[in-house]
């Protein structure tokens, strides 16, 4: 995993926690040598991927906390003469415009941004009016957008 900063509770820490939970649910052990902490930017994704590529047992897939870091990872893989997804699959979160501009097209998780804003505004309005909020935490559905960066390694 290429994570964002763990001090960021809504993105970095939440996505890192989800990664660890998914490993546990799949019966896989967590290995901190397979996690690099980035800063959500292209360069940190590229740096993290270069680290992974130097491991004796390099990963066959990488999950990135943002599309921008994933694109850095894809370019680091390609710079090493390897192919995505034939050699290493890359998946990310955000479904930003960049995900459909990079080659191969990036597989990513789309967040319902409009719904996040609408629900947040409704909650904020209730809180400002001191109305009762029965459900302060709302989980909205996300969508996996399968493109070209994930294969059957």
């Amino acid at each position: 995993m290429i994570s964002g900063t763990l001090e960021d509770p809504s993105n970095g820490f939440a996505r890192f926690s989800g990664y660890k939970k998914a490993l546990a649910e799949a019966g896989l052990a967590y290995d901190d040598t397979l996690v690099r902490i980035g800063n959500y930017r292209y360069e940190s994704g590229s740096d993290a991927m270069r680290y992974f590529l130097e491991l004796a047992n390099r990963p066959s897939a990488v999950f990135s906390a943002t599309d921008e870091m994933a694109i850095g990872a894809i370019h680091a893989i390609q710079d090493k003469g390897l192919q995505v997804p034939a050699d290493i699959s890359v998946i990310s979160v955000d479904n930003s415009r960049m995900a459909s501009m990079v080659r191969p097209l990036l597989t990513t998780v789309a967040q319902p941004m409009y719904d996040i804003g609408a629900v947040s505004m409704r909650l904020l309005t209730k809180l400002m009016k001191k109305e009762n909020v029965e459900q302060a935490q709302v989980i909205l559905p996300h969508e996996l957008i399968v493109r070209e960066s994930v294969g059957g390694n």
Side-chain angles (χ1 to χ4, degrees):
M1 175 180 193
I2 303 172
S3 178
T5 177
L6 300 182
E7 285 78 35
D8 175 5
S10 62
N11 288 321
F13 187 75
R15 293 172 189 184
F16 173 74
S17 296
Y19 166 77
K20 287 179 71 174
K21 181 180 177 187
L23 287 175
E25 288 175 0
L28 300 171
Y30 171 76
D31 180 349
D32 64 357
T33 65
L34 297 178
V35 175
R36 295 284 78 146
I37 305 301
N39 64 4
Y40 303 114
R41 299 291 179 221
Y42 175 93
E43 295 78 14
S44 68
S46 181
D47 291 345
M49 194 66 235
R50 283 194 295 276
Y51 162 84
F52 292 137
L53 292 171
E54 295 303 318
L55 294 175
N57 188 16
R58 77 170 186 245
S60 61
V62 173
F63 165 61
S64 172
T66 66
D67 292 347
E68 188 171 337
M69 289 191 302
I71 293 168
I74 287 172
H75 289 161
I77 293 165
Q78 293 168 336
D79 290 348
K80 194 76 164 174
L82 300 171
Q83 294 182 334
V84 175
D87 297 306
I88 301 175
S89 290
V90 179
I91 187 169
S92 184
V93 179
D94 284 337
N95 194 34
S96 66
R97 288 188 62 227
M98 292 185 294
S100 60
M101 294 177 186
V102 67
R103 295 292 181 261
L105 300 175
L106 181 60
T107 295
T108 185
V109 176
Q111 301 177 83
M113 299 308 287
Y114 177 83
D115 293 340
I116 290 170
V119 169
S120 297
M121 194 62 218
R122 281 195 297 272
L123 285 171
L124 180 60
T125 301
K126 283 186 174 189
L127 290 170
M128 289 170 47
K129 292 180 178 181
K130 300 192 186 316
E131 293 177 10
N132 183 33
V133 176
E134 293 176 20
Q135 190 176 4
Q137 183 179 20
V138 178
I139 298 174
L140 298 170
H142 291 59
E143 179 183 5
L144 178 64
I145 308 295
V146 179
R147 293 192 178 106
E148 301 167 347
S149 66
V150 173
N153 321 57

